[in-house]
Amino acid sequence: MSKPTSKHTPQPVSSKTTYALAGLAVVVVAVIVAAVVLWNRGGGDEVRNDGYGPPHDPAVSVALDSDGAIVLGKPGVSKTIDLFEDPLCPACGQLETIYGQEIAQAVDAGKIAVRYRLVNFLDSRSGSKDYSTRAIAANECVAQGGDGPVYGKFHSMLFTTKQPSEGGSDHSNDELATIAKEAGAGDDVAKCITHRDRADTARAHAEASMKALNEALNNRAATPSVFIDGKKVDVNNKNWVQDAAK
C-alpha cells in the first residue's frame, strides 16, 4: 500500500518565527516556575503546628465510604473538607508536610473532619508503574481497620517521610505493610496489603475520585485540591486550615 501524500509543502521557518517560538518557550517555563514559587510562598515553607504530629485522640475514627473516600474525624463534626491527592504527588507531600499537623489538631479538636479522595494518575511516573494504585489500596486496608489515629499516622508517613520521589523507585507491598505496622496497624491490615486484597477496588475508587475532581475543576484536575462545601479552597492562603476550623 502506498503512503498517503500531502499537498502541503513545508516552508523554511523564518528567523522571526524561531525567535517568537523561543520567546514562547521562555514564557511557558516562566509560568511553570511562577506556579512553583507561588506554591512555596503560599506555604512559606513554614511547618504549621510543628511538633503536634498526626491525630492522636482515641475518639477520632476512620471510615471507608462506598465510593472509596476515607473519612477521618470525630462523630458529629459539622464541617468536612475534601482533599484530593495522589500518593506520589510531590505537591501533595508538601501540603501534608506544611499543614498536616495543623489539620491533625483541628481533627482532634472536633472542628473538622477530612474526606481523603485518592487518585492514581501518577502511576506511570513510579518505578513500579502502579505505585499510586497500590498505595491507595494500602490506605483502604488501614482505613477499614477502623482506628483513626493509626490511619492518620499512616497517611502522614506515606505523604511525608516515606513518600517516594516521582520518577524514582517506590515501595513494594511488603514495605507498605511494614509502614502500616509502624503506624500501629495489626497483622490483619498488613495481610490485606501484602495479599493485594483491595487492589481492584482501589483502582475503581481512584477512577471515581478522578472523575469527581475533573467535574469539580472543569476537566483541569490537579492535586492537591481542597474543597469545602463544594467550593475550592485557596491553599496559597497560609491560614486556610484555621479558616476551615472556625
Side-chain angles (χ1 to χ4, degrees):
M1 182 180 292
S2 61
K3 294 182 181 180
T5 57
S6 171
K7 295 181 179 179
H8 173 69
T9 303
Q11 298 296 321
V13 178
S14 70
S15 58
K16 289 184 179 180
T17 302
T18 301
Y19 293 142
L21 291 173
L24 178 60
V26 171
V27 170
V28 171
V29 172
V31 169
I32 295 173
V33 172
V36 173
V37 170
L38 284 174
W39 168 255
N40 288 334
R41 286 178 178 173
D45 289 333
E46 174 188 348
V47 177
R48 311 275 291 187
N49 289 18
D50 194 19
Y52 187 85
H56 44 260
D57 189 328
V60 173
S61 62
V62 61
L64 181 61
D65 283 352
S66 60
D67 64 355
I70 297 170
V71 183
L72 182 70
K74 289 184 173 179
V77 175
S78 60
K79 186 177 290 185
T80 300
I81 68 173
D82 287 271
L83 176 53
F84 289 82
E85 307 171 299
D86 186 303
L88 197 62
C89 161
C92 300
Q94 189 175 18
L95 181 78
E96 180 68 26
T97 298
I98 295 173
Y99 295 105
Q101 297 178 82
E102 189 173 29
I103 293 172
Q105 188 169 20
V107 168
D108 276 346
K111 294 183 178 179
I112 62 171
V114 184
R115 183 183 293 111
Y116 294 104
R117 302 295 304 271
L118 303 178
V119 298
N120 63 350
F121 71 96
L122 288 176
D123 263 345
S124 63
R125 293 289 298 151
S126 65
S128 64
K129 304 304 179 186
D130 66 350
Y131 173 73
S132 294
T133 298
R134 291 187 296 103
I136 293 171
N139 271 267
E140 294 190 5
C141 286
V142 177
Q144 72 178 2
D147 189 311
V150 168
Y151 176 76
K153 186 174 181 180
F154 177 73
H155 177 274
S156 175
M157 292 170 71
L158 274 196
F159 279 88
T160 57
T161 58
K162 302 292 187 179
Q163 187 183 47
S165 298
E166 185 180 350
S169 60
D170 53 63
H171 300 303
S172 67
N173 288 333
D174 286 343
E175 290 168 336
L176 287 169
T178 297
I179 296 170
K181 296 197 76 170
E182 288 178 19
D187 291 339
D188 55 337
V189 171
K191 184 178 178 180
C192 174
I193 296 171
T194 56
H195 287 200
R196 300 175 62 94
D197 288 353
R198 300 200 63 85
D200 293 337
T201 53
R203 191 176 299 280
H205 291 157
E207 291 174 359
S209 292
M210 194 67 188
K211 180 180 179 181
L213 183 58
N214 269 316
E215 289 175 352
L217 296 178
N218 296 318
N219 292 318
R220 300 183 66 180
T223 57
S225 288
V226 180
F227 296 84
I228 297 178
D229 295 329
K231 296 180 180 179
K232 194 171 188 301
V233 174
D234 179 11
V235 294
N236 285 317
N237 167 18
K238 65 182 181 180
N239 294 318
W240 71 269
V241 178
Q242 291 182 356
D243 293 343
K246 289 179 180 178

